[in-house]
């Protein structure tokens, strides 16, 4: 019997060293830059603090991956919104929260 675990968690994919700067440049060029750039910078700053505290790059990698995915999916989201699909059947979470407080 081995003292090693049966499985080890997969290490997060490490983005290229320049990925955060490239990502920030892409966010600044996007039409949503006014909202997205400050949000990215807040998350990046928090991840840097976490990284300093834990000596782990995982949180930094996660921030890059999440924002890359947001940027990559933005055209599909824009196309869906522009298509005029009826969203009235979706659950309004704000409305549900309001009902619970009553």
């Amino acid at each position: 019997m081995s003292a090693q675990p049966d499985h080890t968690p997969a290490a997060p994919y490490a983005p290229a060293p320049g990925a955060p700067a490239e990502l920030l440049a892409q966010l600044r060029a996007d039409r949503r830059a006014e909202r997205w750039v400050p949000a990215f910078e807040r998350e990046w700053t928090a991840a840097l603090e976490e990284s300093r505290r834990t000596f782990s790059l995982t949180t930094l990698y996660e921030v890059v991956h999440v924002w890359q995915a947001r940027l990559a999916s933005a055209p599909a989201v824009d196309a869906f919104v522009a298509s005029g699909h009826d969203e009235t059947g979706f659950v309004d979470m704000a409305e549900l929260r309001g009902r619970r407080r009553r």
Side-chain angles (χ1 to χ4, degrees):
M1 183 182 265
S2 172
Q4 297 296 320
D6 291 338
H7 69 285
T8 57
Y13 159 75
E22 182 180 315
L23 180 58
L24 186 56
Q26 291 173 340
L27 291 171
R28 286 182 175 144
D30 192 273
R31 66 179 181 83
R32 302 165 192 83
E34 187 177 305
R35 289 176 289 135
W36 278 14
V37 170
F40 172 79
E41 289 173 341
R42 278 191 306 273
E43 290 180 27
W44 185 254
T45 300
L48 279 173
E49 290 303 316
E50 174 79 9
S51 178
R52 287 183 186 117
R53 191 174 52 73
T54 63
F55 297 100
S56 171
L57 299 175
T58 302
T59 307
L60 292 169
Y61 294 168
E62 289 172 353
V63 169
V64 170
H65 292 166
V66 165
W67 281 95
Q68 286 173 333
R70 283 183 183 144
L71 200 54
S73 64
V77 172
D78 290 342
F80 176 80
V81 171
S83 71
H85 283 88
D86 182 12
E87 298 179 30
T88 56
F90 291 105
V91 175
D92 182 356
M93 295 306 292
E95 182 180 329
L96 286 175
R97 282 187 214 104
R99 286 184 191 170
R100 288 185 198 150
R101 291 182 186 148
R102 293 178 191 165

